[in-house]
Amino acid sequence: MSSTLPPRGSDLPWLLLLGFRALIDDVHAELAEAGHPGFRSLHGVAFKAIGDGVTASELGRRLGVSKQAAGKTIEGLEREGYVERVADPADARSKIIRLTARGVEVQQRAFEAMARLRAQWAEQLGEEQMVAIEEGLRAMTADRETRFDIPGWFKG
């Protein structure tokens, strides 16, 4: 009985996913300790998609979900005090979703936590190797569109 070894690199997607998961889980643990226990991975993706402000329809498009699903995400973020709806200066019938001061604060905490985690990884791997990983991933993804529809992508 012979066993066939998988080709080199076949575990690369899993390793990238595990690394992603480790970083995100650790960031969320820090956020929970800092008073944001309800902040979820989807919220971070939504924050990226919201950027400097976005309509509910555009948020839905960016996240790859319906306007109704985007509305539910927005409602949850509003309940937590992370976003607010303000009048759209370009369209009186529309509202812009933007981060509140609390939203900016949790985002800043997440950035700081990620910087600390990156430093820990660099300490373990070496700064040169860490930079090589980051530069390599940037090079391999440079021609890719930034997509925020991660939750939908996993659903198939």
Side-chain angles (χ1 to χ4, degrees):
M1 196 159 143
S2 69
S3 66
T4 305
L5 295 175
R8 184 174 178 88
S10 62
D11 59 347
L12 179 60
W14 290 111
L15 293 171
L16 291 170
L17 180 62
L18 289 171
F20 170 81
R21 198 49 211 267
L23 289 169
I24 297 303
D25 287 350
D26 289 350
V27 166
H28 286 272
E30 284 194 36
L31 292 177
E33 287 179 20
H36 301 279
F39 199 81
R40 302 285 175 257
S41 300
L42 176 60
H43 298 153
V45 173
F47 273 34
K48 277 286 227 196
I50 290 168
D52 291 331
V54 67
T55 64
S57 295
E58 180 59 22
L59 181 61
R61 279 192 292 281
R62 289 182 182 184
L63 294 175
V65 300
S66 68
K67 182 179 176 182
Q68 292 77 14
K72 286 186 178 189
T73 299
I74 293 163
E75 288 170 12
L77 291 170
E78 278 182 313
R79 271 193 307 277
E80 294 289 328
Y82 295 130
V83 300
E84 63 186 352
R85 299 174 206 233
V86 297
D88 183 346
D91 182 354
R93 300 167 297 157
S94 185
K95 296 283 186 190
I96 297 289
I97 312 309
R98 68 178 186 194
L99 300 183
T100 61
R102 178 172 163 80
V104 171
E105 184 258 332
V106 72
Q107 185 177 54
Q108 188 59 42
R109 283 187 182 270
F111 291 158
E112 291 166 2
M114 189 58 72
R116 281 190 300 278
L117 291 166
R118 189 228 179 258
Q120 289 173 4
W121 282 40
E123 186 177 316
Q124 175 120 12
L125 297 172
E127 181 63 26
E128 191 174 299
Q129 188 170 356
M130 194 70 211
V131 169
I133 290 168
E134 291 168 329
E135 288 177 356
L137 289 170
R138 275 190 203 96
M140 295 304 295
T141 60
D143 65 341
R144 298 294 177 124
E145 170 188 358
T146 299
R147 297 185 58 190
F148 302 103
D149 62 345
I150 294 167
W153 182 77
F154 275 109
K155 289 180 183 173

